[in-house]
Amino acid sequence: MLEKSESLPRKKCTHCSLCERCCAENKESNWECNDFETEPLLKQKIFIQGKDLCGKKGPDVDCIYKYKGKNLLAIEIKAQPIKNINPEELLKKIKSVYSHIDDMSLGAFILQVSSKLNSNKSPYQLLLICKDMFKSVGININKGMMYSRKPELKHIRNKFKVIKCKKLNENEILSML
């Protein structure tokens, strides 16, 4: 598992993509990064791939950041329109994280969606869609928290945020911690 990180690293180029899937969107927005040595934030060593926690056989989130001792931040990246996201698949991934964290805890879950493919939606509209989407699988989202009243899902309780790819930055991650 990751060692505790003191802080998120600073990038050399402020417009470089946080994840490789956002690179094309950044270029379309005239956010071209000329520093080819810059590694996307979510690919840096302070993050681990979900399969490192959940195993290769189970469903895993795209990346996990360990912070403040035994707390985890999970990020699922969906480079597609939000209407195409399968809530059952997301629930399986969240349950998989919870089943593998042992003595740690999931403090926050970020759903990162494509900026370009969701450009006609405001952040509030994306949140409303997520509320409906997760409600269909027994998860409630209220005041930035994800939780369930179903007995078999009652262990799920963490912060939640849906954010467009180009809006995810260090400040957004720090606000979830």
Side-chain angles (χ1 to χ4, degrees), residues 37-92:
E37 297 298 312
T38 301
E39 187 175 19
L41 178 65
L42 298 182
K43 296 291 184 184
Q44 293 182 12
K45 290 181 181 178
I46 62 165
F47 292 96
I48 60 170
Q49 290 184 337
K51 66 183 174 192
D52 294 339
L53 177 75
C54 301
K56 295 181 181 178
K57 293 183 181 179
D60 60 88
V61 293
D62 287 310
C63 63
I64 295 171
Y65 172 60
K66 183 180 176 193
Y67 67 97
K68 295 181 185 173
K70 297 182 177 189
N71 294 310
L72 302 173
L73 170 90
I75 302 173
E76 177 66 14
I77 304 165
K78 293 293 185 186
Q80 58 186 297
I82 197 160
K83 66 180 182 179
N84 294 348
I85 296 173
N86 183 336
E88 288 89 9
E89 177 190 313
L90 286 180
L91 180 60
K92 283 180 189 172

Side-chain angles (χ1 to χ4, degrees), residues 8 13 28 43 73 79 96 103 119:
L8 293 172
C13 176
E28 286 177 17
K43 296 291 184 184
L73 170 90
S96 181
D103 63 340
S119 62

Side-chain angles (χ1 to χ4, degrees), residues 114-171:
S114 168
S115 303
K116 181 180 175 186
L117 299 175
N118 294 290
S119 62
N120 61 337
K121 308 255 185 310
S122 71
Y124 182 70
Q125 289 171 317
L126 291 172
L127 181 61
L128 291 178
I129 292 168
C130 283
K131 280 180 146 182
D132 290 341
M133 177 175 59
F134 277 111
K135 199 170 203 172
S136 71
V137 293
I139 300 289
N140 298 312
I141 297 173
N142 192 14
K143 297 182 181 177
M145 291 297 294
M146 172 184 277
Y147 63 94
S148 181
R149 291 193 172 104
K150 284 185 161 185
E152 67 272 17
L153 300 175
K154 67 180 180 185
H155 61 286
I156 295 176
R157 182 163 182 80
N158 51 266
K159 291 180 185 176
F160 171 79
K161 189 162 199 170
V162 61
I163 192 161
K164 291 183 181 182
C165 200
K166 67 182 179 183
K167 297 287 185 184
L168 184 62
N169 57 35
E170 293 176 47
N171 291 336

